[in-house]
Amino acid sequence: MAILKYLALLLSALALGMNTLMFTKPDVVLQSPFDNTSIDVKAVSERLSKGIQFAAIRYMDESLVEPEVFIRFHTFLKQSYPKLNEVLSVEVVNELSFNIAGKAQIHH
């Protein structure tokens, strides 16, 4: 009985090894919504600095949530990153959260 267990383990390890060796990663090509212009590091850091100052925190106790902070944060994002709103699908969920989806092409 012990030999059968070891044989089953050996066959499983062999199958796993073969699958690992034969695995090929699909090529994922992400399309940038921007052209190849240079990045204004100062402007990026200023927007990031402003963005992280919003205390948009969700709590289990809904009475602690401040909806106006989320609304101001949503407005900030739309104004600060207008190109992202053009190329991404932005859906407001439960009035305070975002579901943001980008587009990627997978080539096999």
Side-chain angles (χ1 to χ4, degrees), residues 40-53:
D40 184 348
V41 176
K42 183 178 180 191
V44 169
S45 63
E46 287 174 358
R47 283 193 301 267
L48 178 61
S49 174
K50 289 178 185 175
I52 62 175
Q53 292 178 32

Side-chain angles (χ1 to χ4, degrees), residues 33-94:
F34 307 105
D35 54 17
N36 290 330
T37 59
S38 62
I39 295 174
D40 184 348
V41 176
K42 183 178 180 191
V44 169
S45 63
E46 287 174 358
R47 283 193 301 267
L48 178 61
S49 174
K50 289 178 185 175
I52 62 175
Q53 292 178 32
F54 289 91
I57 302 169
R58 292 298 299 249
Y59 297 96
M60 294 298 288
D61 181 355
E62 289 293 323
S63 68
L64 298 175
V65 177
E66 299 178 50
E68 64 278 354
V69 175
F70 285 86
I71 293 167
R72 286 196 325 266
F73 183 58
H74 293 182
T75 303
F76 164 77
L77 289 175
K78 287 179 184 176
Q79 291 173 347
S80 298
Y81 303 98
K83 286 187 178 183
L84 289 180
N85 283 300
E86 294 172 9
V87 298
L88 297 175
S89 169
V90 181
E91 174 188 6
V92 178
V93 179
N94 295 329

Side-chain angles (χ1 to χ4, degrees), residues 24-31 102-108:
T24 58
K25 184 175 86 170
D27 293 327
V28 176
V29 178
L30 298 176
Q31 293 180 336
K103 298 178 179 117
Q105 294 179 353
I106 299 177
H107 301 282
H108 294 281

